[in-house]
Amino acid sequence: MYRFLSALIALSSLQACGGEWDFTHSMCGAQASGDVVIGILLPCHHKVTALDKRIRPESYHCSDFHLPSFMRSLAVIHEIEEINAAGFLPGVRLGYMMCDTCSFASTALQNVEYMLAVNRSMNVDCDYSDFRPRVKIILGARYSEVSIAVARLLSVYMIPLLSSTSSAQDLSDKRRYPSFLRTIPSDKHQTKALGQVMHHFGWNWVGVVYGDDEYGIAAFQSFLKDAEKNSVCLNYKEVLPDNLDNSQRLSRIKQVAERIRSSTARVVLLILKAELVEALFEEMIRTNTSRTWIASDAWSRSRSIAQMEGINKVGDILGFTFVTGKNESFDKYLKNLTVTPGGYNHFIEEYKNLRFNCTPECFSDKAPSYCPSPDELKMKADNACNFKDPQEQNDDHLVTALDTSDAFLHRLAVWATANALKKLLKCNGSSCQGEINFPPWKLLEELKKVQFEFENRSFIFDKNGDFEDCYNLIVWEKDGDHRRFLKIGNYHVLDKQIRLVTNDFIWFSTANTTIPQSRCSERCAPGSFKKILNASCCHNCTLCAAGTFSAEWDLDTCQRCPNGTWSLKGWTQCKQREESFLRWSDPLPIILMAAAVFGILLLLVTFIIFLVNRNSPPMKRAEVRLSCVMMAGLSVSFASVIWFMGRPNVHLCRARQVMYALGFTLCMSCVLVKAFRTFLAFLPFGQLKSRRLHKLYKPLVIVIVITSLQGVICLLWLIFDSPDIDDTPPNPQSMTLVIQCSEGHTYIGFSIMLSFIALLALVGLLLAFKGRKVPQEFSETGNIIFSMLMYLFVWVCFIPVYIMNNESGTTVQASAILVSSYGIIFCHFSPKCYQVLWKSNTETLEKILNKWRAISSPKHDVVTEINIDFPRVTLSSEKTQKSDSFITSSTSPKLCSSGTLCISSYTTLVTKRKMARTRSISC
């Protein structure tokens, strides 16, 4: 009985030890003793089998050996051995315990329990301040989803969790994850960098595919905010779950691939794990779909994706990676893998079995069930069957198949821990004085404060426990049938700026250095702005209105021109408006001024001719003194034209209108006197009416009264609505600022002034028209009629032109003044000068009256004695009955004293019949 009981106890102990050994071998399969033990929580396998069939809380079974994560765990082990060998912590040896998370959070939690167990058990306490487990710090995990779960648990014990790859933004929340730190920046900086790189390359129409884990969801939500800030719009968003079985995953991947193919967005952001990206790219390669892919840090340096068959068909790939760095010592370690003395590493054993174990049957069509997966068979050495013991073999496969620079951040985590331990243990050059078995929260305190240098760079944790370092921007360039990583720039977390180190790389989409486009709408060039449609990135380009401008591409609004400047529609800048007025040096003002001066000279010559020939009959009939007054008025009118030139000011605006108004009114009043004189002298009236009309003929009074009335009009105009500089805003579609005079705000004074002159012209025209049958040699009715018609025609044309084209009002008015003034000269003075200078003065009064008889009324013969003096009027008229006799006047008129023109009719009664009979008798 004693022997039986002893055997039963031994068997029970063996089973218990066997259970522990099974877990240690499968999960925590690497360990080395030391004074301070560091936990390593990384996935050497990336899949847990039969999760959907798991019912009982049995141990997890992992599959698919993951070479990149295995290499990173070896980097941690190697760096620990390097620190021990260097004596960085004098008298203190670092140990490690490495557990495989299998990329699954529950497995990681089980590993943590094993690491923290004291004597294979976990005590439940209310206060863990003095909790002293074997493992003082855990380095890991790889994925944010796993780190979040582990950090929640470790926050109870305040054991530091230091990750080199988990970048989820939530992990920066120290209220939920107080013991979590990382040697990389938070994803909030990565999404800022992603938004900026899209903005830099001009991509504002993108699609996003993200995972349904904490990393993917948090990164996507953060990207939405940064995309909006960088004017990037989403054409679509798709979720790709990670927890589906193979058939469901393949179906979902095909749906996402079809969405990508049917979209107009040519740029796709993938916030996924490398395994999902690889599956998606297989579908893209199968359908020959090419896009521009932007990689998140989870797969931006995935060597397995870069080595995919047909990877060059998917198009351009670029993304952000964390800081990397090669280490020759680590490469040598990988080429000569050995287990740490005194420890074990079952993961190295598994790798060497996969690499060097001879299993030719696994390459047949019907491979046995114990064979590795197809992906694991790819790492099999070609000469594996030449070796007897796989564990004794080594080669450079890890160095050539993987990018060992990716392990830089894991090595950095080890050195951050070592520097914190050096402070905590109070190490000097020869020994460490601190307590070795310390509670982990003390190490956490030192880690948050640690500042150290590694490979000539300084590192420190920020208040959120993150490293504020930079990202590298890489592009996947062609390398034969595969891809390699080319650094083209970086993004600095502190200054939040992207800096490109090269633009000289070839894009797959364009086959040259031209950047591929992915826009909802074409870019709006300078001079236009975006008119948003249904999405902020979809717009029409609208030209900037007059008075606004845009000097850059894709502006949301146009800027207003600064004061004193202007722009036309669609301009990219504002300019000073060109001032427009009649400059002295311009051709048109020179012509107008020359015409005015010539008019004044012509009047001077005419005045001299009139003065020299004042006693000639034509000059006597033209009334020299009245003509001289007309010349004076016309001279003032011509002089007013000169004031239309040059830059206007308020004094010139007033002076030129008053000069023209008074000068031309003086001239028109003299014309009116001439027309009235002819009207009175030659037209028959009754005796009573004749006397009344004769009393009105007072030339000096008429001229003074009419001119004074115009003076009063001008005075009232200047008082109540004075001419000033025109402040009317210029035409928005013109870059010319017309500086001209405004004839008042209401134009009433200007209108009355012109209407008064027009009334004088109209009255003179009517009076002259009544006397149109008077012989031209004696009267000036024809000249008056023509000159008044010319004046009225000119000014009737002036009004609509002035109103319709106000900008040319100055030129039009000056021209109208010149034309009407020259009309008076050529109609009134030129004929007289011609008669005096070149025509014989043989016309007698008898001939003139004979002509008058021929056109006068046949009912009455008029014998008229006209005695018209400028200051006074004396006129007698006698009517006789019609007879066969015609009473004729003297053969020539005579000039009375004081310049009075006298036509004294002394009658001689001689009948034509008697004269004819007498001549017959004589014969």
Side-chain angles (χ1 to χ4, degrees):
M1 179 64 68
Y2 176 78
R3 290 178 180 177
F4 173 75
L5 291 175
S6 299
L8 183 60
I9 294 172
L11 179 61
S12 301
S13 301
L14 181 62
Q15 288 178 346
C17 292
E20 181 181 357
W21 184 89
D22 287 341
F23 179 82
T24 303
H25 182 272
S26 61
M27 296 297 177
C28 296
Q31 186 172 343
S33 61
D35 300 313
V36 178
V37 178
I38 297 175
I40 304 172
L41 200 62
L42 291 172
C44 287
H45 300 81
H46 64 80
K47 187 180 294 184
V48 179
T49 59
L51 275 176
D52 54 340
K53 297 178 181 180
R54 190 170 186 267
I55 299 175
R56 294 187 296 176
E58 300 173 329
S59 61
Y60 293 98
H61 298 280
C62 300
S63 63
D64 294 353
F65 194 83
H66 195 242
L67 209 57
S69 292
F70 171 63
M71 182 268 294
R72 292 186 178 99
S73 66
L74 293 177
V76 175
I77 294 173
H78 170 261
E79 215 62 33
I80 291 174
E81 293 179 355
E82 288 286 300
I83 290 173
N84 289 334
F88 185 76
L89 301 171
V92 177
R93 178 178 178 82
L94 296 180
Y96 60 85
M97 180 183 293
M98 176 180 169
C99 297
D100 184 7
T101 65
C102 302
S103 303
F104 191 56
S106 299
T107 308
L109 291 174
Q110 189 178 21
N111 293 340
V112 171
E113 288 180 348
Y114 178 77
M115 289 180 179
L116 302 183
V118 178
N119 297 323
R120 297 180 57 193
S121 65
M122 292 282 293
N123 296 325
V124 179
D125 294 321
C126 294
D127 186 357
Y128 290 97
S129 298
D130 198 40
F131 179 55
R132 302 169 188 262
R134 291 175 298 169
V135 175
K136 306 300 184 183
I137 183 173
I138 296 177
L139 305 184
R142 182 185 180 192
Y143 296 113
S144 296
E145 179 184 12
V146 178
S147 293
I148 288 172
V150 173
R152 283 283 195 180
L153 176 60
L154 294 181
S155 64
V156 177
Y157 311 103
M158 293 303 286
I159 297 175
L161 176 65
L162 181 55
S163 176
S164 299
T165 52
S166 299
S167 58
Q169 184 175 347
D170 288 349
L171 290 168
S172 295
D173 187 353
K174 296 299 105 177
R175 293 175 300 176
R176 291 186 291 169
Y177 312 102
S179 63
F180 178 81
L181 301 97
R182 52 188 165 192
T183 57
I184 57 174
S186 166
D187 268 342
K188 69 177 182 180
H189 300 295
Q190 181 180 196
T191 55
K192 283 179 172 38
L194 290 171
Q196 282 200 25
V197 77
M198 292 177 183
H199 180 75
H200 175 81
F201 288 118
W203 301 327
N204 69 353
W205 194 236
V206 301
V208 179
V209 182
Y210 62 97
D212 64 344
D213 55 357
E214 284 82 354
Y215 165 75
I217 295 173
F220 172 71
Q221 294 298 330
S222 178
F223 172 73
L224 287 180
K225 299 176 184 177
D226 294 308
E228 185 177 358
K229 292 178 182 177
N230 289 278
S231 302
V232 177
C233 300
L234 266 63
N235 181 221
Y236 61 87
K237 56 180 180 180
E238 294 290 339
V239 181
L240 200 55
D242 185 38
N243 56 356
L244 301 177
D245 59 26
N246 289 335
S247 60
Q248 292 176 322
R249 177 183 293 183
L250 182 60
S251 175
R252 179 58 184 151
I253 285 176
K254 287 185 177 181
Q255 293 175 3
V256 173
E258 179 58 31
R259 183 73 178 90
I260 293 173
R261 284 192 295 269
S262 62
S263 168
T264 56
R266 310 300 298 177
V267 173
V268 185
L269 171 62
L270 299 181
I271 310 175
L272 299 169
K273 293 180 180 179
E275 296 79 14
L276 291 175
V277 175
E278 190 169 350
L280 179 61
F281 276 5
E282 287 177 356
E283 180 64 19
M284 295 291 104
I285 293 170
R286 187 184 68 82
T287 57
N288 199 26
T289 303
S290 176
R291 291 291 187 272
T292 298
W293 310 91
I294 300 181
S296 65
D297 61 85
W299 66 276
S300 58
R301 289 182 65 89
S302 174
R303 182 65 68 92
S304 61
I305 298 176
Q307 300 296 324
M308 285 179 63
E309 184 178 353
I311 187 63
N312 290 332
K313 294 181 180 179
V314 301
D316 297 291
I317 303 174
L318 69 159
F320 288 97
T321 67
F322 302 121
V323 178
T324 59
K326 275 280 188 180
N327 183 264
E328 294 183 2
S329 175
F330 178 52
D331 288 350
K332 290 180 181 179
Y333 171 77
L334 293 178
K335 294 175 183 178
N336 298 278
L337 277 179
T338 56
V339 179
T340 304
Y344 59 86
N345 195 324
H346 299 303
F347 302 113
I348 294 179
E349 294 176 6
E350 183 178 358
Y351 164 70
K352 288 190 175 184
N353 282 329
L354 289 171
R355 177 66 179 165
F356 302 111
N357 192 24
C358 182
T359 55
E361 68 277 9
C362 294
F363 291 93
S364 63
D365 295 336
K366 296 181 179 180
S369 59
Y370 60 82
C371 288
S373 66
D375 288 337
E376 290 175 322
L377 285 175
K378 292 179 181 178
M379 68 178 75
K380 184 73 69 175
D382 295 335
N383 57 349
C385 291
N386 297 335
F387 307 121
K388 292 182 180 181
D389 186 2
Q391 301 303 320
E392 298 294 328
Q393 307 306 316
N394 277 300
D395 64 2
D396 61 352
H397 177 69
L398 290 174
V399 177
T400 57
L402 302 174
D403 187 356
T404 59
S405 64
D406 290 344
F408 175 82
L409 293 171
H410 294 79
R411 295 168 47 228
L412 182 63
V414 177
W415 277 100
T417 303
N419 279 274
L421 284 171
K422 191 172 185 178
K423 289 287 185 69
L424 178 63
L425 299 179
K426 302 175 183 178
C427 298
N428 53 34
S430 59
S431 64
C432 295
Q433 306 299 324
E435 182 184 4
I436 298 297
N437 189 22
F438 54 86
W441 61 267
K442 291 187 176 181
L443 178 59
L444 177 62
E445 280 190 337
E446 292 297 333
L447 269 174
K448 291 180 178 179
K449 298 183 293 182
V450 71
Q451 183 174 1
F452 65 100
E453 288 189 0
F454 181 65
E455 295 189 358
N456 300 320
R457 297 181 62 182
S458 180
F459 296 94
I460 187 173
F461 293 99
D462 65 8
K463 64 180 181 178
N464 297 319
D466 305 330
F467 270 6
E468 291 187 341
D469 205 355
C470 67
Y471 292 93
N472 290 332
L473 176 60
I474 64 170
V475 64
W476 291 28
E477 67 175 353
K478 187 176 181 181
D479 184 21
D481 294 332
H482 305 296
R483 298 288 186 93
R484 62 185 176 190
F485 311 129
L486 173 66
K487 179 182 175 181
I488 62 172
N490 49 52
Y491 174 83
H492 288 271
V493 171
L494 294 179
D495 60 9
K496 299 178 176 60
Q497 293 294 326
I498 284 182
R499 294 182 178 88
L500 294 183
V501 296
T502 179
N503 290 315
D504 189 20
F505 58 90
I506 304 299
W507 296 87
F508 277 82
S509 305
T510 59
N512 52 40
T513 57
T514 303
I515 300 173
Q517 296 297 309
S518 182
R519 304 182 63 86
C520 181
S521 304
E522 291 296 325
R523 298 187 67 188
C524 291
S528 62
F529 70 98
K530 296 186 295 185
K531 188 175 183 180
I532 305 300
L533 300 177
N534 57 334
S536 60
C537 298
C538 301
H539 56 264
N540 290 329
C541 294
T542 305
L543 293 178
C544 293
T548 62
F549 74 101
S550 63
E552 299 177 3
W553 288 82
D554 292 330
L555 290 182
D556 294 327
T557 57
C558 296
Q559 301 176 4
R560 291 191 173 275
C561 289
N563 292 335
T565 62
W566 194 252
S567 66
L568 298 184
K569 186 176 182 180
W571 276 26
T572 60
Q573 61 179 344
C574 296
K575 298 179 180 179
Q576 292 284 343
R577 271 194 167 111
E578 182 182 357
E579 294 183 348
S580 174
F581 54 88
L582 296 180
R583 290 181 171 83
W584 295 98
S585 58
D586 292 344
L588 181 59
I590 291 175
I591 294 173
L592 295 176
M593 189 168 53
V597 173
F598 180 75
I600 295 173
L601 294 177
L602 193 61
L603 287 173
L604 180 61
V605 173
T606 303
F607 173 74
I608 294 173
I609 293 174
F610 268 61
L611 190 62
V612 171
N613 300 279
R614 61 184 178 277
N615 294 322
S616 63
M619 295 304 175
K620 290 179 180 180
R621 291 196 298 269
E623 194 62 57
V624 175
R625 286 182 296 177
L626 204 58
S627 297
C628 291
V629 175
M630 289 177 63
M631 294 179 198
L634 288 177
S635 299
V636 175
S637 295
F638 277 121
S640 69
V641 173
I642 299 176
W643 301 121
F644 281 79
M645 313 303 149
R647 184 185 182 90
N649 58 57
V650 63
H651 304 295
L652 290 179
C653 293
R654 295 171 182 175
R656 70 191 191 185
Q657 296 295 351
V658 172
M659 287 178 64
Y660 166 69
L662 296 179
F664 210 80
T665 300
L666 181 62
C667 176
M668 294 299 291
S669 63
C670 295
V671 174
L672 184 62
V673 168
K674 287 188 176 186
F676 191 41
R677 183 188 64 180
T678 303
F679 178 78
L680 291 177
F682 288 93
L683 295 182
F685 296 102
Q687 188 174 3
L688 181 60
K689 183 183 291 187
S690 177
R691 287 195 187 113
R692 292 175 179 174
L693 290 173
H694 294 161
K695 290 178 181 181
L696 295 176
Y697 185 74
K698 298 182 183 298
L700 181 61
V701 175
I702 292 174
V703 170
I704 293 174
V705 169
I706 291 175
T707 306
S708 298
L709 282 176
Q710 184 67 284
V712 172
I713 292 172
C714 291
L715 181 62
L716 294 176
W717 180 18
L718 294 177
I719 293 173
F720 295 106
D721 194 18
S722 177
D724 204 340
I725 300 298
D726 190 2
D727 58 357
T728 303
N731 187 344
Q733 297 302 324
S734 173
M735 284 302 293
T736 301
L737 177 61
V738 179
I739 302 178
Q740 61 181 359
C741 295
S742 170
E743 314 310 338
H745 295 291
T746 62
Y747 286 84
I748 294 177
F750 184 58
S751 302
I752 294 175
M753 181 269 288
L754 292 180
S755 299
F756 184 74
I757 299 176
L759 179 63
L760 297 178
L762 185 61
V763 172
L765 174 65
L766 294 176
L767 292 176
F769 186 77
K770 280 291 186 179
R772 65 187 182 280
K773 294 183 180 181
V774 175
Q776 181 65 27
E777 292 82 351
F778 185 77
S779 72
E780 301 178 68
T781 55
N783 299 336
I784 295 173
I785 291 173
F786 189 76
S787 62
M788 294 303 99
L789 285 175
M790 179 180 293
Y791 171 82
L792 292 173
F793 176 77
V794 169
W795 287 95
V796 166
C797 293
F798 160 77
I799 293 172
V801 173
Y802 186 85
I803 295 174
M804 296 291 292
N805 191 4
N806 189 36
E807 294 182 358
S808 302
T810 302
T811 305
V812 172
Q813 187 178 2
S815 302
I817 292 173
L818 290 174
V819 173
S820 55
S821 298
Y822 273 107
I824 300 295
I825 292 176
F826 290 118
C827 291
H828 285 268
F829 302 135
S830 297
K832 301 302 178 184
C833 294
Y834 175 75
Q835 291 176 9
V836 169
L837 298 177
W838 291 288
K839 192 173 182 181
S840 173
N841 298 322
T842 58
E843 292 284 353
T844 62
L845 182 60
E846 182 180 359
K847 293 180 181 180
I848 295 173
L849 292 178
N850 285 338
K851 293 180 181 180
W852 164 251
R853 180 180 178 279
I855 61 175
S856 62
S857 174
K859 294 181 180 179
H860 301 283
D861 291 331
V862 180
V863 179
T864 307
E865 181 182 345
I866 305 173
N867 191 1
I868 302 175
D869 186 62
F870 189 75
R872 60 182 180 82
V873 177
T874 303
L875 185 146
S876 62
S877 177
E878 179 183 354
K879 286 186 180 182
T880 59
Q881 295 295 328
K882 180 181 178 182
S883 63
D884 292 337
S885 302
F886 182 76
I887 302 173
T888 184
S889 63
S890 62
T891 58
S892 63
K894 54 184 177 179
L895 186 65
C896 302
S897 62
S898 301
T900 301
L901 180 61
C902 299
I903 306 176
S904 301
S905 300
Y906 57 94
T907 59
T908 306
L909 298 178
V910 181
T911 64
K912 293 181 180 180
R913 292 178 181 176
K914 287 183 179 182
M915 288 175 65
R917 189 178 297 118
T918 302
R919 291 172 182 170
S920 299
I921 296 171
S922 300
C923 293

